[in-house]
Amino acid sequence: MKKQLLASSEMKGRLIPFVQSGDYFYKKAMRAYQQRNLDKAKQHLERAVKLSPEEVDYICQLAAVLSELGEYEASNEWLTFVLDDLDPEYYDCYFFLANNYAHMGLFKQTEENAQKYLNHEPDGEFVEDAEELVDLILLEKSEDLPQELGDEEQLILEHEEARKAIESGRFSEAIDLLENMTDAYTEFWPAYNNLALAYFYDEQFEEAIRVLDLVLTKNEGNLNAVCNLALFYDFLGQHVKRDLMLERLKNVYPIHPDHSYKLGSTFGFLGEHELAFHWLRKVEVTRHSWDVSFYHWMAVSSFQLDRPELAKRYWNKMKELDPTNQIAIGHLTKLEEGTLKKNRVSYRSQATEVKDEKEKKHDYHARMTHLMLLYTRRDAESASLLQTYCKRKDEPTIIKELSAYIALTLSGEPVRVLTEDNEFTVTNVNDFPEHVLSGMRVIAELEQANISDSELHELIATTWLRCYVKLSERKLSFQNAKGTAAAMLYMWKSANESHVSQTEIANAFGISTSTVYSYRKKIASLLESEEL
């Protein structure tokens, strides 16, 4: 990477090239490491590796720092990368892997890698340490440790695999792994909490709540379960239940920093800024440096509590860790200008402030799925939540339209809608544009189909919603509600390997087979026109 620094006027405008190479950041990392500032060392080493991706020494030093920070999985990934892709004869990596596995309690992998190191490097620098690891494992075996030890190793590996699947968006895979895990280890509570998260991200909301209820029945003081349940209820608009969880959290006084961290972030997401600030500030002193998310939460809670200078300090810390972070840059700029507003500062908006159209669609997909879930279940208690969506200027129009329609349908009361330009009130369904009405007519037809509620919700989320988003953006409408609904049902059943003919579907909706065929082609063409 090249940067140019403009010299002062005394330098007569001359440009001085300043090359930030991998070596430059590696040396900075080593200085930070010698000062025991491991987080800063990690940051510089990551930059060094990015600039010199084939420099094995940089990668191994990064792996060593990650190991000292307790990030053993990440360390192992880099070490394996060196052996698999860069230098299969860099045998020291086997010792480092063995050491990491020992810390993780994976003794089989510890022994295997320590033995590989000894076989390849009988006179190596770490021979004595590797022999000690092997002797330790043999000693443990000689003392007839319980057979469950092997099971525990497998449990750790599978749980990590499931966690990675969640992070990668492979929710079905995570659910399968975690369900098997909770069946085999009925009191392994982290697996239950991650299973609930996987269900929730997969939009299986009832299952997510069921899992957490089960945890709290068997392990009443499980803080992660209470926090997640409060957040789930908040998302689903079940405010009475959320508030019960919130009161429960207000009576918690954790000792462990991890619990304070979880509690503080949860309070932030629930809008309890004072409590968020209290618990996050309490945990801040336990580490020399934190990650970008933590500093953002601290900045937001500070700003919401009318402490702009403190917020500025935390957003600057955030920027130090990630110089290109658009949230930190944007908020600091507006803070300096005096234009930053509390309603524009969110705990959740941490990744980027300016998103492309594809990202925006992904953002509101989950909320729209939730809206349709409320509509098909006729959850009258959620009308007030939906009305708040209609009053948020930063909500997309597509969300406001559906929220207003569903709120009006559920409560029968007029709904006030705010836009960037004006505001208006809807008092009956005829106040809505045709693309909304036609979309809801298709939903009404689908509700009459001979399918379960869960199948209806899946059909709406996977087929109807994608079509609705595309048509509403173009201000176009569904034509022939019966034909469209029949075609969607046929396509959904076919995709789920249900053996059904177009004629059977046509008969069920009282229309011709040619109509189903015609609308199936139209829907397929619409879905193929561009990626959501």
Side-chain angles (χ1 to χ4, degrees):
M1 180 187 294
K2 287 189 176 181
K3 290 187 178 179
Q4 291 183 323
L5 301 179
L6 185 60
S8 65
S9 58
E10 288 80 9
M11 299 291 288
K12 299 182 181 179
R14 180 161 56 88
L15 293 176
I16 302 175
F18 177 44
V19 180
Q20 290 186 335
S21 62
D23 185 58
Y24 167 78
F25 284 107
Y26 180 74
K27 288 176 179 175
K28 289 192 70 173
M30 290 300 93
R31 285 196 294 272
Y33 183 76
Q34 289 162 4
Q35 296 166 0
R36 302 309 295 162
N37 188 341
L38 297 180
D39 290 285
K40 186 65 73 174
K42 171 188 169 184
Q43 178 191 346
H44 291 319
L45 283 165
E46 287 173 338
R47 296 285 294 277
V49 170
K50 186 175 182 180
L51 291 168
S52 304
E54 295 184 359
E55 184 57 62
V56 172
D57 288 338
Y58 296 177
I59 295 173
C60 287
Q61 189 61 52
L62 173 59
V65 170
L66 288 169
S67 180
E68 288 197 51
L69 287 168
E71 299 179 32
Y72 303 117
E73 280 289 336
S75 177
N76 285 349
E77 286 177 8
W78 281 114
L79 294 169
T80 304
F81 170 71
V82 169
L83 290 169
D84 290 347
D85 297 305
L86 296 181
D87 187 354
E89 296 183 1
Y90 202 102
Y91 301 128
D92 286 358
C93 289
Y94 289 120
F95 171 73
F96 300 144
L97 284 166
N99 199 51
N100 284 344
Y101 282 125
H103 282 290
M104 296 168 70
L106 300 173
F107 301 118
K108 180 181 178 183
Q109 288 84 349
T110 301
E111 182 182 9
E112 286 176 355
N113 283 280
Q115 199 60 60
K116 283 180 182 178
Y117 174 76
L118 292 171
N119 292 341
H120 287 295
E121 292 281 4
D123 300 314
E125 179 183 355
F126 306 107
V127 165
E128 290 186 12
D129 294 318
E131 288 176 341
E132 281 186 18
L133 282 175
V134 173
D135 289 343
L136 176 63
I137 302 303
L138 293 175
L139 176 64
E140 297 285 0
K141 284 182 177 178
S142 68
E143 292 182 355
D144 296 319
L145 283 180
Q147 185 61 40
E148 287 79 6
L149 182 61
D151 295 337
E152 288 176 4
E153 292 182 16
Q154 188 62 29
L155 174 64
I156 294 170
L157 290 172
E158 287 182 2
H159 189 243
E160 183 61 24
E161 185 181 347
R163 187 187 62 77
K164 288 183 178 178
I166 293 174
E167 290 179 353
S168 302
R170 305 191 314 274
F171 304 129
S172 296
E173 179 185 334
I175 288 169
D176 289 341
L177 283 168
L178 291 164
E179 282 182 338
N180 291 334
M181 209 175 297
T182 53
D183 286 343
Y185 302 90
T186 56
E187 293 188 355
F188 185 48
W189 308 122
Y192 285 93
N193 280 311
N194 279 324
L195 177 58
L197 288 174
Y199 275 134
F200 196 81
Y201 295 148
D202 200 43
E203 297 168 6
Q204 299 184 52
F205 303 126
E206 287 184 349
E207 281 299 301
I209 290 172
R210 179 190 64 77
V211 170
L212 293 182
D213 282 340
L214 177 63
V215 172
L216 293 175
T217 298
K218 295 183 175 182
N219 186 231
E220 186 177 357
N222 193 293
L223 181 63
N224 281 317
V226 179
C227 288
N228 288 338
L229 202 51
L231 294 171
F232 290 177
Y233 284 141
D234 183 65
F235 179 86
L236 295 172
Q238 298 183 27
H239 293 161
V240 174
K241 292 180 179 179
R242 176 206 62 193
D243 290 345
L244 287 173
M245 292 296 110
L246 189 55
E247 287 304 312
R248 189 166 171 177
L249 291 174
K250 288 178 180 178
N251 292 316
V252 172
Y253 298 92
I255 298 174
H256 197 284
D258 287 349
H259 290 165
S260 297
Y261 182 94
K262 177 70 174 180
L263 192 61
S265 62
T266 301
F267 279 132
F269 294 141
L270 295 175
E272 296 285 339
H273 308 302
E274 287 188 17
L275 289 168
F277 181 86
H278 171 79
W279 288 113
L280 292 172
R281 189 68 180 269
K282 212 170 189 60
V283 78
E284 183 182 11
V285 297
T286 64
R287 281 180 59 181
H288 178 80
S289 179
W290 286 87
D291 57 16
V292 165
S293 297
F294 178 83
Y295 288 130
H296 179 66
W297 297 337
M298 287 299 304
V300 173
S301 60
S302 300
F303 185 75
Q304 296 290 354
L305 295 173
D306 299 315
R307 304 179 70 176
E309 287 304 313
L310 193 55
K312 180 179 177 180
R313 179 159 71 86
Y314 285 118
W315 274 317
N316 273 318
K317 281 180 173 287
M318 185 177 170
K319 208 171 132 188
E320 284 177 20
L321 289 178
D322 182 6
T324 62
N325 189 285
Q326 293 302 306
I327 283 292
I329 293 169
H331 285 350
L332 285 168
T333 300
K334 291 177 181 176
L335 202 57
E336 290 294 328
E337 295 171 348
T339 59
L340 190 60
K341 306 295 182 186
K342 287 184 178 180
N343 63 355
R344 304 295 293 178
V345 176
S346 168
Y347 288 90
R348 290 183 171 86
S349 56
Q350 296 169 44
T352 179
E353 194 169 66
V354 181
K355 301 182 179 181
D356 61 25
E357 290 304 310
K358 186 172 182 178
E359 287 174 311
K360 289 179 182 177
K361 289 173 185 173
H362 177 74
D363 281 350
Y364 61 63
H365 181 275
R367 180 164 288 173
M368 290 185 68
T369 303
H370 174 220
L371 294 178
M372 299 318 304
L373 189 65
L374 296 178
Y375 176 72
T376 55
R377 290 182 177 171
R378 304 298 189 267
D379 186 357
E381 293 181 1
S382 297
S384 60
L385 170 69
L386 297 173
Q387 294 208 26
T388 65
Y389 290 167
C390 299
K391 296 172 185 175
R392 294 178 185 169
K393 288 189 176 182
D394 56 335
E395 287 287 358
T397 301
I398 193 171
I399 295 290
K400 290 180 181 177
E401 287 175 341
L402 280 181
S403 297
Y405 185 97
I406 297 169
L408 180 66
T409 304
L410 295 178
S411 68
E413 298 176 358
V415 180
R416 184 164 151 261
V417 182
L418 293 180
T419 67
E420 289 186 1
D421 303 319
N422 63 343
E423 66 177 82
F424 59 91
T425 301
V426 290
T427 56
N428 62 72
V429 293
N430 294 325
D431 292 333
F432 292 91
E434 180 57 27
H435 65 268
V436 177
L437 297 177
S438 68
M440 301 313 296
R441 284 195 288 267
V442 173
I443 293 288
E445 292 293 341
L446 289 171
E447 287 183 297
Q448 303 305 312
N450 186 26
I451 55 177
S452 67
D453 287 346
S454 61
E455 290 173 327
L456 173 63
H457 298 149
E458 185 178 340
L459 196 165
I460 290 172
T462 58
T463 307
W464 177 90
L465 184 55
R466 294 177 65 202
C467 294
Y468 180 81
V469 169
K470 293 192 175 207
L471 289 176
S472 63
E473 287 174 345
R474 304 171 192 177
K475 303 302 180 187
L476 299 176
S477 308
F478 288 105
Q479 302 298 314
N480 189 329
K482 279 187 181 293
T484 300
M488 285 183 175
L489 181 59
Y490 174 76
M491 293 172 73
W492 180 80
K493 281 183 171 289
S494 298
N496 286 275
E497 299 181 351
S498 296
H499 299 292
V500 62
S501 68
Q502 291 185 114
T503 302
E504 289 177 272
I505 295 292
N507 291 338
F509 280 85
I511 57 177
S512 67
T513 303
S514 61
T515 300
V516 177
Y517 175 77
S518 173
Y519 279 93
R520 180 174 66 82
K521 287 186 66 177
K522 290 181 180 180
I523 292 170
S525 176
L526 178 65
L527 294 177
E528 291 171 2
S529 62
E530 66 176 9
E531 282 299 317
L532 270 177

